[in-house]
Amino acid sequence: MKTNTVHKHNKNMKKLMKISGVFRVLIILAAVGVVVFLGYRYIDSDALRFGGSPLFHALWFHDNANRGLLFAIQLPLFLALVLGAFWLQRLLGYFQQGHFFSNQTMNCYLWLIWIKIVSFGYKFIQPLIIHHYYSVLEQQTPLHLTGHFPLQLEISFDSITTLLLLLVIAYLLKAAKDIEAENKTFI
C-alpha cells in the first residue's frame, strides 16, 4: 500500500515538473513575443505602445515633448514586465527540476511579489507624472492638444487580488517548507 502511494506521489511530481517546463517555455515565448511586437511597432509606426494613457500618446506625437523623458516614464513598467517574466520562468525552472519548496523558489516568489508591489505603485503614480510633465510643457508653450485628458488614478482590483494571491502563496509555500523540514528532522 505504501509503495503504491509513493509511486503515485512520484508520478504526480513528475507530471508537475513536466507541466512546469511547458509553462516555462510558454512564458519565455510570450515575453519574447511582446518585446518583438513592441520593437516592431516602434520601428514601423514610431509609436511606443506599451501602456500609457491617451495624454501620454498625444504627448509622444507632439513636437515640443521630450520623447526621451516620455520613454523614461514608461520604462519602469517595461522593466517590471521583463523582470517579472525572468523571475517567473526561473521559478518554473526550479519547479521543472522538482524543487518546489527550496530557498531558491522562495527567493523567486519574493522577487515576483516585490516586482508586483513596485509595478502596482508605479501604475498609480505614473498618471501623476505624465500630467505634471504636461502641465510644465503647457506653461512653457501652449501645446493645443486635441482631446480631453482628465487625470485618472485607477486602482485595479485585478492587481490587488493578484498581489494578495502572491502573498498567500508565498506564505503557504513557506509553511509547507517548514512542515517538510520538520518532517525530515522527525524521520
Side-chain angles (χ1 to χ4, degrees):
M1 178 74 174
K2 189 174 183 178
T3 308
N4 193 19
T5 305
V6 170
H7 177 69
K8 187 176 179 180
H9 174 73
N10 287 339
K11 187 177 176 181
N12 288 340
M13 291 295 280
K14 287 182 182 181
K15 192 179 207 181
L16 283 173
M17 291 165 62
K18 187 176 181 177
I19 290 170
S20 297
V22 169
F23 278 114
R24 182 179 187 206
V25 170
L26 290 175
I27 292 294
I28 292 169
L29 290 175
V32 168
V34 167
V35 170
V36 167
F37 174 75
L38 291 173
Y40 170 76
R41 291 293 298 168
Y42 181 72
I43 292 168
D44 181 55
S45 61
D46 196 29
L48 192 60
R49 294 288 178 201
F50 186 74
S53 65
L55 177 58
F56 174 85
H57 294 294
L59 288 171
W60 183 262
F61 290 108
H62 198 278
D63 292 334
N64 291 347
N66 181 339
R67 280 192 171 183
L69 184 60
L70 290 170
F71 181 78
I73 291 171
Q74 286 296 101
L75 188 61
L77 294 178
F78 179 74
L79 290 176
L81 171 81
V82 171
L83 286 173
F86 170 78
W87 284 104
L88 184 56
Q89 72 78 30
R90 190 165 179 183
L91 174 69
L92 290 170
Y94 287 124
F95 286 174
Q96 186 179 6
Q97 297 169 8
H99 304 290
F100 293 98
F101 305 114
S102 68
N103 287 332
Q104 294 94 342
T105 59
M106 285 303 298
N107 189 35
C108 291
Y109 263 117
L110 291 175
W111 270 102
L112 286 168
I113 290 169
W114 279 111
I115 290 166
K116 189 67 178 173
I117 288 170
V118 170
S119 176
F120 178 78
Y122 190 74
K123 283 180 185 177
F124 187 74
I125 65 169
Q126 184 192 35
L128 296 171
I129 296 169
I130 293 170
H131 271 269
H132 176 71
Y133 178 60
Y134 169 65
S135 67
V136 168
L137 280 179
E138 188 69 28
Q139 287 175 358
Q140 293 172 353
T141 305
L143 299 178
H144 306 293
L145 294 178
T146 56
H148 181 62
F149 306 107
L151 177 61
Q152 295 177 344
L153 301 177
E154 296 181 15
I155 297 177
S156 170
F157 181 72
D158 179 46
S159 293
I160 293 171
T161 55
T162 302
L163 184 58
L164 291 175
L165 180 64
L166 284 172
L167 290 170
V168 168
I169 290 171
Y171 173 78
L172 291 175
L173 283 175
K174 184 177 180 336
K177 182 181 172 197
D178 291 345
I179 290 170
E180 182 184 54
E182 185 178 305
N183 286 341
K184 283 182 180 179
T185 59
F186 181 71
I187 292 175

